[in-house]
Amino acid sequence: MHRTDVCSVPAQGPTLSELGTVQTCAEHCPECFRSGLFFDPENAFGRCKQWPAPQGRACRRFIAEEAAASGAKCVLTHNPTWIIDPIDGTCNFVHRFPTVAVSIGFAVRQELEFGVIYHCTEERLYTGRRGRGAFCNGQRLRVSGETDLSKALVLTEIGPKRDPATLKLFLSNMERLLHAKAHGVRVIGSSTLALCHLASGAADAYYQFGLHCWDLAAATVIIREAGGIVIDTSGGPLDLMACRVVAASTREMAMLIAQALQTINYGRDDEK
Ligand SMILES: O=P([O-])([O-])O[C@@H]1[C@H](O)[C@H](O)[C@@H](O)[C@H](O)[C@H]1O
Ligand SMILES: [Mg+2]
């Protein structure tokens, strides 16, 4: 992915460079940034002095859905890492259901620094940078702040497994939330965009088993910067590689949902 591909996205909001991405890169690794290596995956291997990689391996790394599908390992090291889902909502895309996004997150020292999610059909660019806020086409994002489940719109996604035991757990989790009187439960077919709806206040909570780090990385920064909470389904801190999440507009709401859920085991991204 070249910088110009992202920066030419037709949106009224901040471009990636306006967002501070370029500065982030420059701060983290001035030498690579000056030499232009930062955005060039072809040249990104073993040439960064700021983060010398053992045995000449890449100092800037990429974790991406299609790379993982071709057998690449998902390992989040301390090196600067792009975490990419080139098309989220693939099933929607195939059916021309217009809920499809591109998601790009960036982590340094295992800390999520910024995220960009582009809702292609709506031309909405969601951005978030740690400590600098979250925006959609230039408008500041704020979560709803809802704490009452009976007033909450809760989003989830089905996940890829369709065996009877998994489906039973999935449906039973939804049933538990409906029994707990959630105002509504929705499945829209794109975890990244569902998480953006939470960040914008259009939904109040999200949970899922079976999503991946590339579905979560960018959205996590955007939600946190919009004032929301992103945690593990156990109620503990988020584990980006654990293929599960609860996100909500408040900690209270996140804990209510975490406590209602039965675990569906999808393994870990970094053990596949
Ligand atoms: O395969 P993909 O369309 O990029 O991403 C998937 C979608 O967001 C889907 O709704 C969700 O259930 C999966 O967990 C995601 O991995
Ligand atoms: Mg995806």
Side-chain angles (χ1 to χ4, degrees):
M1 167 89 44
H2 290 275
R3 181 164 58 109
T4 46
D5 294 338
V6 181
C7 289
S8 64
V9 161
Q12 286 154 5
T15 62
L16 205 59
S17 57
E18 282 162 355
L19 176 70
T21 304
V22 172
Q23 288 89 324
T24 304
C25 301
E27 282 155 21
H28 285 306
C29 190
E31 191 161 330
C32 283
F33 176 70
R34 265 198 304 277
S35 64
L37 293 177
F38 198 91
F39 293 100
D40 183 355
E42 295 304 314
N43 288 313
F45 294 94
R47 293 168 65 179
C48 171
K49 291 190 181 143
Q50 205 87 342
W51 273 280
Q55 282 90 47
R57 285 169 52 209
C59 60
R60 290 156 305 274
R61 303 176 67 96
F62 294 83
I63 294 175
E65 180 164 20
E66 270 55 44
S70 322
K73 295 282 175 211
C74 293
V75 183
L76 186 62
T77 68
H78 280 231
N79 290 337
T81 304
W82 297 96
I83 305 171
I84 301 168
D85 190 347
I87 171 164
D88 183 49
T90 314
C91 183
N92 287 345
F93 181 76
V94 166
H95 290 272
R96 301 188 183 187
F97 187 85
T99 306
V100 177
V102 177
S103 176
I104 302 172
F106 184 69
V108 179
R109 297 192 180 89
Q110 300 189 327
E111 215 33 272
L112 291 163
E113 289 290 338
F114 62 77
V116 178
I117 294 174
Y118 184 55
H119 185 174
C120 317
T121 54
E122 295 285 318
E123 297 194 354
R124 284 178 198 266
L125 183 69
Y126 295 87
T127 58
R129 184 179 172 192
R130 191 157 69 97
R132 306 277 181 96
F135 300 85
C136 178
N137 288 359
Q139 302 269 23
R140 186 124 200 171
L141 294 174
R142 286 302 300 170
V143 294
S144 67
E146 188 57 68
T147 54
D148 181 349
L149 191 57
S150 72
K151 293 182 183 154
L153 189 62
V154 181
L155 306 183
T156 187
E157 289 296 323
I158 302 168
K161 283 192 201 171
R162 300 294 158 86
D163 60 278
T166 302
L167 283 183
K168 201 170 170 189
L169 281 170
F170 170 78
L171 292 170
S172 136
N173 279 338
M174 206 180 247
E175 195 178 357
R176 282 163 177 242
L177 287 167
L178 292 168
H179 272 307
K181 305 238 178 313
H183 194 204
V185 179
R186 302 277 183 275
V187 175
I188 64 167
S190 158
S191 16
T192 60
L193 289 177
L195 289 160
C196 286
H197 287 313
L198 167 61
S200 69
D204 306 289
Y206 180 86
Y207 70 91
Q208 196 193 338
F209 295 93
L211 77 177
H212 299 279
C213 55
W214 48 81
D215 295 314
L216 262 179
T220 295
V221 188
I222 294 169
I223 291 169
R224 286 179 175 157
E225 288 301 318
I229 300 293
V230 187
I231 59 172
D232 186 64
T233 50
S234 65
L238 175 71
D239 178 345
L240 194 63
M241 293 290 157
C243 298
R244 57 196 208 179
V245 73
V246 174
S249 62
T250 57
R251 181 164 292 279
E252 202 174 333
M253 175 80 70
M255 292 309 284
L256 272 176
I257 289 174
Q259 279 153 18
L261 296 176
Q262 290 178 289
T263 300
I264 306 176
N265 189 3
Y266 268 92
R268 297 179 58 80
D269 277 335
D270 53 7
E271 287 174 2
K272 285 168 188 153

